[in-house]
Amino acid sequence: MPDPSRSRPKRGAAQRCDEQVPACSNCRRNNLVCLVEDPATKRHQPRNYLETLEQRVILLENMLQDARSSATSDSVPSPNGPPVANPGHASIAPVDDDRNDLGGLPSIIGTLSLNAAGAEPSYLGPSSTFAFARFIKPSLRQVVSSLSPNVSRPAADAHGAIPEPCPLPDYRAAVRLSNAYFQNIHPQYPFIHEPTFRVWEAALEDPFEGISTFAYNPVPLYFLNMVYAIGAILLPSTGYSAEQLYVSAMLYIDDILCHDNLQCIQAILCCAAYSLRSSKGISHWKLGGQALRQCVNLGYHRSQRRLRSILNPLQQEMQKRAFWSAYVMECSAAVMLGRPLSLHFREIDAEFPLDIEETYLSQTGICGSPRSSPAEPPTMMTHAIHGFRIRSLLGCIQTALYSDSTLLYPDIRKVRVQELSTDLGKWKAESPPPMIPPEGGALSYFVTPDWYETNYNYAVLQLYRIQITDTKDPAPDEIFLKCLYAAKALCHSYRRQSIGKPITYTWSALHELFLAGLTYLYCLWTSPTAREASRHDQVSSTCMDCTMVLVILAERWPDAAPYRDVFDALASRTMTMMADLQQDHNLVAPTALVPGKDTYPEQLPQWVAGIEDAGLSVGVDWLLSELIDDVPIPQQYADGGSWTG
């Protein structure tokens, strides 16, 4: 993106202006916004200032007319806005390295420099600018018609018109919203350069100066509105509507999506981060996948050292951050939904971002030294990189154990499990000290002290769940105990971080908790060793913790209610089974909840269908099918769509 902090050449400077529109050749070459002086006001405006204003007026008029005339439309039509200033073209120089004969040369040949306005080098892949923009823009528009109901919704007319755009918040409120974003979302998905954002935000202190600074440039206006929209979800008490800020951001997204470059990917990731916190709308699996495919299209999944990129350090780092943010976002969603990954980890040789304080990165270079030893204090990027590692490992578990349809032999599977278990243990051993929650409390589970332990336990469940559900080759007792203890610890951790704290959870958290609860119950029903190792009060405490958090989530998201109801029914039956066994040690527990009105509520089939309607992963499906043998699902409950599809 153009650097707003660099000085811009004026008329009369050593480099003469050729007065080309929308920007002179000197400004395009130096990645600057071309400004001219208004003789009346003496203010500096972009050369295409009037054209930009005209296009924006047309855009707003069309949106207003469409909202009044067709409230049922799923999209917001808009004319093609003027292109933003060309962010510059990167070039790739070949590498003279015999060690990379097999990988380096194809990488260089596979990267083409398409010298179109606003385009970065495009890696040979499945998509093009036209096809991508045509696909993603209608998808993003669907989010507008199904935004989160948990924040204050603006008044709608009788036709159910979409929320209207709103002005940017005042400076004090804006800083509070952006702080919520950068303290809670940014540490796990650092695809925005905070110092650049803060320069844009500083212009809000003086609204008149802000208008001159932004000059209706869609790039800063889009990212300001999106960051504040996500911040408004995290802090609903501020009084700003996340929906209206989101709709305001959508006014500028067309001008960004029309380019195949880093800003386009960052814009999609902003929508995905918003979707992560919303109960409705386009799934972050779709949005994260689109961002990831665009990264592959531009070659971000390949090593910059091998390609010898001559981009400045800030651009290189932001490309790596955008790629890994997109990759782990898609990984998390694919694991949650039991879907295959669109990019295998073995196809990636991109480096992790530098472990360095963000303020040390600028257009001019790197001001400090990256963290090089575990003994050094961790940075924000230390935790981001460690988060990238565990989510990548979860993606490897998904690919190696669940998505491989050729995996038929138990011995091969056990070898893979052992290899992945070694990698998981190494990740845990190398975990940095937990993050210190921000002042005022954590609003995201990522910045809590329990995050690393919770993700380790969740990975244990993913790694061994396929073994404990294998009836042909039963897992040994120690595997059942591993899953039992990991599930119990995960339930306690979620309860500890949720009661009386302002943390806002995601659909991924709901899935992790529900899967942990089901695994815990499944181990008790199927493993005598697990039952012997569990006292009645311990089982009661674990089930209560899981139920309490599911109740909290269901109060926020009505679609989470079936998860709460199903687990409550199964936990109640499990507690009865454990009590009966303690009273009569000669009883043998069954291996499944046998269907019948005396063993489960009449509403259970509807609840299970409700879970499928909200998005049921393969892992959850397996456990439910084992716990509830052949529960009949009425057809009227099984035909619904899924918001995650």
Side-chain angles (χ1 to χ4, degrees):
M1 58 185 66
D3 184 7
S5 64
R6 295 172 59 187
S7 60
R8 302 176 174 85
K10 302 178 182 179
R11 282 189 164 181
Q15 293 181 334
R16 297 181 60 82
C17 179
D18 55 19
E19 299 185 356
Q20 294 184 17
V21 178
C24 68
S25 58
N26 288 328
C27 289
R28 288 200 305 271
R29 182 169 55 252
N30 294 304
N31 194 24
L32 300 172
V33 178
C34 189
L35 302 179
V36 295
E37 185 178 286
D38 188 321
T41 63
K42 303 300 181 182
R43 292 191 303 181
H44 291 87
Q45 309 285 7
R47 190 172 296 279
N48 61 340
Y49 177 65
L50 290 179
E51 180 185 358
T52 302
L53 290 180
E54 291 171 354
Q55 292 289 346
R56 193 60 60 194
V57 169
I58 294 174
L59 171 66
L60 295 174
E61 288 178 345
N62 286 349
M63 287 190 64
L64 181 60
Q65 181 179 1
D66 181 73
R68 291 175 175 174
S69 62
S70 180
T72 60
S73 176
D74 288 335
S75 63
V76 183
S78 62
N80 292 328
V84 297
N86 191 336
H89 303 291
S91 61
I92 306 297
V95 178
D96 185 12
D97 190 346
D98 294 337
R99 295 172 300 176
N100 296 329
D101 285 344
L102 296 178
L105 185 58
S107 298
I108 297 167
I109 295 176
T111 305
L112 302 179
S113 181
L114 304 180
N115 295 316
E120 291 184 6
S122 292
Y123 187 83
L124 285 177
S127 62
S128 64
T129 305
F130 177 76
F132 175 77
R134 287 286 302 273
F135 174 81
I136 190 65
K137 283 191 285 188
S139 299
L140 293 175
R141 294 293 183 231
Q142 295 177 25
V143 184
V144 175
S145 62
S146 57
L147 293 171
S148 172
N150 62 292
V151 294
S152 56
R153 181 178 294 275
D157 59 24
H159 301 287
I162 62 174
E164 297 180 356
C166 65
L168 287 167
D170 63 88
Y171 180 70
R172 181 174 297 181
V175 171
R176 188 181 176 195
L177 294 174
S178 61
N179 285 344
Y181 175 90
F182 283 106
Q183 291 172 356
N184 295 276
I185 306 301
H186 187 63
Q188 54 182 321
Y189 302 118
F191 56 85
I192 294 178
H193 187 230
E194 183 178 359
T196 298
F197 180 91
R198 296 300 186 184
V199 172
W200 294 335
E201 187 175 62
L204 298 179
E205 287 191 273
D206 185 346
F208 296 102
E209 180 65 23
I211 294 176
S212 177
T213 301
F214 297 145
Y216 296 97
N217 184 348
V219 174
L221 291 172
Y222 171 81
F223 286 106
L224 286 168
N225 278 286
M226 279 303 303
V227 167
Y228 298 148
I230 299 171
I233 294 180
L234 296 172
L235 292 174
S237 60
T238 56
Y240 284 91
S241 168
E243 298 170 339
Q244 289 185 288
L245 288 165
Y246 185 93
V247 173
S248 299
M250 291 298 103
L251 298 177
Y252 310 101
I253 195 170
D254 291 347
D255 295 322
I256 301 175
L257 290 183
C258 64
H259 300 290
D260 277 345
N261 58 15
L262 176 62
Q263 291 171 355
C264 174
I265 297 170
Q266 291 170 317
I268 301 171
L269 288 173
C270 275
C271 292
Y274 184 91
S275 180
L276 272 170
R277 300 283 156 178
S278 300
S279 61
K280 299 291 184 181
I282 297 296
S283 73
H284 61 281
W285 176 74
K286 287 184 178 180
L287 294 171
Q290 285 301 318
L292 180 60
R293 280 184 283 278
Q294 188 70 349
C295 287
V296 175
N297 186 51
L298 298 175
Y300 290 180
H301 63 306
R302 304 315 307 267
S303 168
Q304 292 186 353
R305 288 195 297 265
R306 179 176 296 179
L307 296 179
R308 286 279 180 87
S309 172
I310 61 173
L311 294 170
N312 66 57
L314 177 58
Q315 289 175 305
Q316 292 186 34
E317 287 305 302
M318 295 314 299
Q319 285 184 0
K320 289 187 287 186
R321 292 187 185 190
F323 167 74
W324 284 107
S325 296
Y327 180 72
V328 300
M329 193 176 289
E330 201 244 12
C331 268
S332 299
V335 171
M336 179 182 74
L337 299 173
R339 296 173 180 174
L341 274 65
S342 60
L343 182 65
H344 197 286
F345 189 74
R346 294 176 181 174
E347 299 174 6
I348 300 170
D349 63 356
E351 302 87 358
F352 283 127
L354 292 178
D355 189 355
I356 193 171
E357 295 290 351
E358 197 161 42
T359 54
Y360 294 163
L361 288 174
S362 67
Q363 296 278 0
T364 58
I366 300 175
C367 303
S369 299
R371 182 174 179 265
S372 58
S373 170
E376 298 179 29
T379 68
M380 181 273 292
M381 284 305 303
T382 304
H383 299 283
I385 294 170
H386 210 58
F388 293 160
R389 289 179 58 191
I390 186 60
R391 285 167 172 153
S392 299
L393 182 55
L394 285 168
C396 291
I397 293 174
Q398 170 79 4
T399 301
L401 301 180
Y402 297 94
S403 298
D404 188 353
S405 59
T406 66
L407 184 58
L408 303 177
Y409 301 103
D411 292 340
I412 298 177
R413 184 185 64 198
K414 291 178 181 177
V415 171
R416 293 184 180 180
V417 168
Q418 184 57 46
E419 293 174 348
L420 292 166
S421 178
T422 301
D423 293 339
L424 179 59
K426 181 180 179 181
W427 175 86
K428 184 180 181 182
E430 296 175 352
S431 297
M435 291 188 68
I436 300 175
E439 185 178 352
L443 302 176
S444 168
Y445 198 73
F446 184 84
V447 296
T448 65
D450 283 333
W451 192 86
Y452 288 135
E453 189 66 26
T454 298
N455 273 263
Y456 173 79
N457 290 323
Y458 177 64
V460 168
L461 299 184
Q462 293 289 354
L463 187 60
Y464 294 110
R465 192 184 68 243
I466 195 171
Q467 288 185 300
I468 65 174
T469 55
D470 188 350
T471 56
K472 295 181 180 179
D473 184 21
D477 291 338
E478 57 266 24
I479 298 300
F480 276 98
L481 291 178
K482 279 186 179 180
C483 291
L484 180 80
Y485 295 143
K488 180 171 67 173
L490 201 150
C491 292
H492 291 326
S493 176
Y494 268 106
R495 192 264 185 191
R496 185 165 52 251
Q497 293 297 334
S498 63
I499 303 302
K501 297 183 180 180
I503 291 178
T504 57
Y505 285 102
T506 64
W507 282 102
S508 297
L510 171 64
H511 166 80
E512 292 177 10
L513 178 65
F514 186 68
L515 180 63
L518 284 187
T519 304
Y520 185 75
L521 300 182
Y522 181 81
C523 290
L524 293 175
W525 278 94
T526 56
S527 171
T529 303
R531 291 193 295 272
E532 292 175 1
S534 304
R535 299 198 313 266
H536 186 274
D537 60 325
Q538 294 175 336
V539 176
S540 177
S541 174
T542 302
C543 292
M544 180 63 68
D545 285 353
C546 186
T547 301
M548 288 179 64
V549 181
L550 290 175
V551 167
I552 294 173
L553 292 174
E555 289 178 351
R556 178 186 178 190
W557 296 328
D559 287 343
Y563 292 83
R564 173 202 61 199
D565 297 334
V566 167
F567 181 80
D568 184 61
L570 297 181
S572 176
R573 183 67 184 91
T574 302
M575 292 297 301
T576 301
M577 179 267 292
M578 293 293 293
D580 291 343
L581 288 176
Q582 284 196 349
Q583 292 178 2
D584 189 347
H585 295 287
N586 294 323
L587 290 178
V588 178
T591 58
L593 286 171
V594 181
K597 291 186 178 181
D598 57 332
T599 57
Y600 69 89
E602 294 182 356
Q603 299 89 345
L604 188 58
Q606 292 94 318
W607 294 340
V608 174
I611 293 176
E612 291 182 343
D613 188 49
L616 181 68
S617 78
V618 175
V620 172
D621 188 26
W622 283 355
L623 289 173
L624 277 177
S625 65
E626 291 292 326
L627 282 169
I628 311 170
D629 186 27
D630 298 329
V631 173
I633 304 297
Q635 187 64 31
Q636 65 267 29
Y637 294 103
D639 293 336
S642 169
W643 75 271
T644 55

